Amino acid sequence: MKVTIALIGSQEFCRQARSIVLPHNIRIDYYQYDKPSDAPRLLKTMKPCHAILFSGSLPYEASKQALQTISIPAFYVQQNEHTIAVTLLYLASEKNMAIHDISIDIKELAHIEQILQDLGPLSSIQKPAIHELQANTDLQTVVNFHMEHVKSGKSKLAVTSVHAVYDQLQAAGIPSFRMLDPASNILRAIKHAVQQADFARNEATKIAVGVLQVHQPEKLPQGTIEKLANYLQAQWKEKEGSFFFYTTLGTIEFVFALKAFVEFCESLQSASTLSFGLGLTALEASDNAINALQLSKQTDNKGVFMLDEHKKLHGPLPATKPSIAMRLDDPDLLTISKKTTLSPAVISKLTLFDEFRQSTPFTANDLAGYLAVSRRTAERTIKKLMDQQFVVSVGEEMAYSQGRPRALYKMKFTI
């Protein structure tokens, strides 16, 4: 299956990444910024993908808060000794530039110190002027560092790891050079992102079982079981006064990022206890869910707990504050709502449905189950979206050896 990576970087970095020949199972979507602080804004325009790769630590650090609302793995291309050594070798061989004649900004001071140490005793080598980049580095501070050293004659060339700094130095007429990004480093980072995306998808398919133990049935709102099953996209059965829900770890992680689901779970606490278990089989997962119920009674905290396949207890869930809410006032959502005549609430649910399925094709039955509506209602919703090209038909599937094939659809909008 093809893995899609969202690559967020400067124009020059994206240009270089485009020149790399990739394996056929990897697709890159490029998002270019003018300065690293623009990266969080680009996340809002990102199409569905399996992992995010930033060109460096600065755009990644700038996006940390925004990444808390995104469930897919995110990484950045790390600067290492290889990156710095290749750059210094190029300057020495092609520009006849001595190490002590440059000013340089880098992420890890230890990297260049290791290179200098490999060249000989540190006491015998004239060091360059070095500025160590921090997570909250102000770019103007980096620009000023280089300008001061070049203008004072302390260095002849400014070597920077930040493309936005390079652009400012060039505009100011300061001799400058961009740190080289070896293609091997970029490719290694892309492959690592693919591996982690595959790992995350494999983890998401783990069998999970939820157990709802009801203490006071009279306090449980009508339709609770069906609503919980719909959230978890689960099959359920009743056994000895408890309800078992069969789902996956990925679904549990997704729904606990929903503010509405967390509030729903909190509303059940007075009448019931909910827990989850993971396992290699449904039976093992069920046993772990029951054990999680017992273990949760021994803790001082109230809430939902989960026992994994290694007998480790997690909870109360969610581990972080839920970040996905019904975004009914989003301008793009309101535009789609107006064009399709579907309510903003329905459009918001559809975006969550697409995120939940990681943009894989779906049937009318899949959508009906998620929205808790009839298949006919789901088909009418799909038609309205297709009329405005927000959904496209991508094929058919045969559920059984006999009977009519079911149409497959794919979402074509992002909010």
Side-chain angles (χ1 to χ4, degrees):
M1 182 177 177
K2 188 178 286 288
V3 177
T4 300
I5 305 296
L7 195 155
I8 299 177
S10 66
Q11 181 177 352
E12 176 60 26
F13 185 90
C14 290
R15 182 201 64 75
Q16 184 178 358
R18 282 190 175 96
S19 68
I20 298 174
V21 178
L22 298 173
H24 70 279
N25 65 325
I26 301 176
R27 169 183 166 171
I28 305 291
D29 288 334
Y30 296 92
Y31 302 88
Q32 297 178 184
Y33 59 67
D34 292 326
K35 53 185 183 296
S37 58
D38 291 338
R41 175 182 56 80
L42 293 177
L43 287 174
K44 297 179 180 179
T45 69
M46 191 174 64
K47 298 176 183 177
C49 59
H50 300 105
I52 305 169
L53 181 63
F54 294 87
S55 60
S57 61
L58 294 186
Y60 175 82
E61 294 290 347
S63 305
K64 265 193 170 179
Q65 184 174 354
L67 289 173
Q68 293 178 6
T69 68
I70 298 175
S71 58
I72 59 175
F75 314 91
Y76 62 89
V77 179
Q78 297 193 16
Q79 188 181 81
N80 53 27
E81 288 101 330
H82 183 206
T83 305
I84 300 170
V86 167
T87 301
L88 295 179
L89 177 61
Y90 178 86
L91 292 176
S93 62
E94 301 298 323
K95 303 292 184 180
N96 197 28
M97 186 69 60
I99 292 178
H100 60 267
D101 283 333
I102 67 173
S103 59
I104 186 170
D105 58 71
I106 55 174
K107 176 62 178 174
E108 296 281 348
L109 182 62
H111 289 159
I112 194 166
E113 288 183 341
Q114 184 62 55
I115 293 172
L116 295 175
Q117 185 174 352
D118 291 340
L119 292 175
L122 289 176
S123 58
S124 65
I125 296 178
Q126 289 182 274
K127 293 183 181 180
I130 304 171
H131 182 89
E132 189 172 21
L133 300 172
Q134 305 297 324
N136 56 349
T137 291
D138 174 41
L139 295 191
Q140 191 57 51
T141 301
V142 184
V143 172
N144 293 343
F145 162 78
H146 288 295
M147 291 182 70
E148 176 189 337
H149 279 80
V150 172
K151 286 184 175 181
S152 65
K154 295 178 183 177
S155 63
K156 299 178 181 177
L157 181 71
V159 180
T160 178
S161 306
V162 187
H163 290 182
V165 170
Y166 172 80
D167 292 338
Q168 288 193 47
L169 292 172
Q170 285 285 294
I174 301 297
S176 49
F177 187 80
R178 278 191 299 260
M179 188 83 72
L180 297 177
D181 291 304
S184 59
N185 275 13
I186 300 175
L187 183 58
R188 190 180 300 113
I190 291 173
K191 288 183 176 180
H192 174 72
V194 170
Q195 290 172 353
Q196 294 303 307
D198 286 338
F199 177 76
R201 287 193 295 180
N202 290 336
E203 285 289 292
T205 61
K206 279 184 178 178
I207 298 171
V209 174
V211 175
L212 184 71
Q213 191 177 73
V214 181
H215 313 303
Q216 296 177 290
E218 69 279 3
K219 288 188 177 182
L220 209 64
Q222 188 175 4
T224 292
I225 304 305
E226 289 75 15
K227 187 173 182 179
L228 183 56
N230 179 56
Y231 267 122
L232 296 173
Q233 293 289 284
Q235 298 287 337
W236 65 273
K237 71 177 183 180
E238 183 180 3
K239 183 180 179 182
E240 299 176 355
S242 295
F243 298 87
F244 290 75
F245 301 84
Y246 300 90
T247 183
T248 64
L249 174 59
T251 303
I252 293 172
E253 290 177 337
F254 182 83
V255 295
F256 270 107
L258 303 176
K259 184 178 180 180
F261 180 74
V262 173
E263 292 174 347
F264 171 66
C265 289
E266 291 172 350
S267 72
L268 303 179
Q269 290 180 7
S270 62
S272 61
T273 304
L274 176 64
S275 67
F276 292 94
L278 304 180
L280 299 177
T281 66
L283 180 60
E284 181 186 355
S286 298
D287 289 341
N288 285 338
I290 294 171
N291 289 334
L293 276 177
Q294 304 306 317
L295 291 171
S296 66
K297 295 176 183 177
Q298 302 172 17
T299 67
D300 296 329
N301 297 319
K302 300 292 183 180
V304 181
F305 287 80
M306 179 170 65
L307 189 66
D308 65 24
E309 67 273 31
H310 305 297
K311 308 302 179 183
K312 181 179 179 181
L313 188 67
H314 304 264
L317 303 177
T320 58
K321 186 177 180 180
S323 53
I324 303 175
M326 299 293 284
R327 299 162 288 183
L328 304 183
D329 58 348
D330 188 288
D332 293 335
L333 182 149
L334 295 174
T335 299
I336 298 172
S337 174
K338 184 177 180 179
K339 289 183 178 181
T340 61
T341 71
L342 296 169
S343 71
V346 170
I347 300 299
S348 184
K349 287 181 180 179
L350 290 171
T351 64
L352 295 179
F353 172 72
D354 192 45
E355 184 178 346
F356 166 69
R357 294 184 60 87
Q358 295 190 345
S359 300
T360 57
F362 63 93
T363 66
N365 279 343
D366 295 328
L367 184 59
Y370 186 85
L371 297 179
V373 298
S374 67
R375 174 173 172 164
R376 180 162 295 187
T377 298
E379 288 174 340
R380 286 198 295 266
T381 299
I382 290 171
K383 184 178 185 307
K384 289 181 179 181
L385 292 165
M386 290 186 71
D387 288 344
Q388 298 298 323
Q389 298 183 331
F390 292 123
V391 164
V392 295
S393 176
V394 294
E396 295 179 333
E397 72 171 8
M398 289 293 293
Y400 308 101
S401 58
Q402 295 180 347
R404 294 179 58 188
R406 297 188 296 193
L408 287 171
Y409 306 97
K410 194 166 186 178
M411 298 285 186
K412 296 293 289 184
F413 60 79
T414 56
I415 300 292

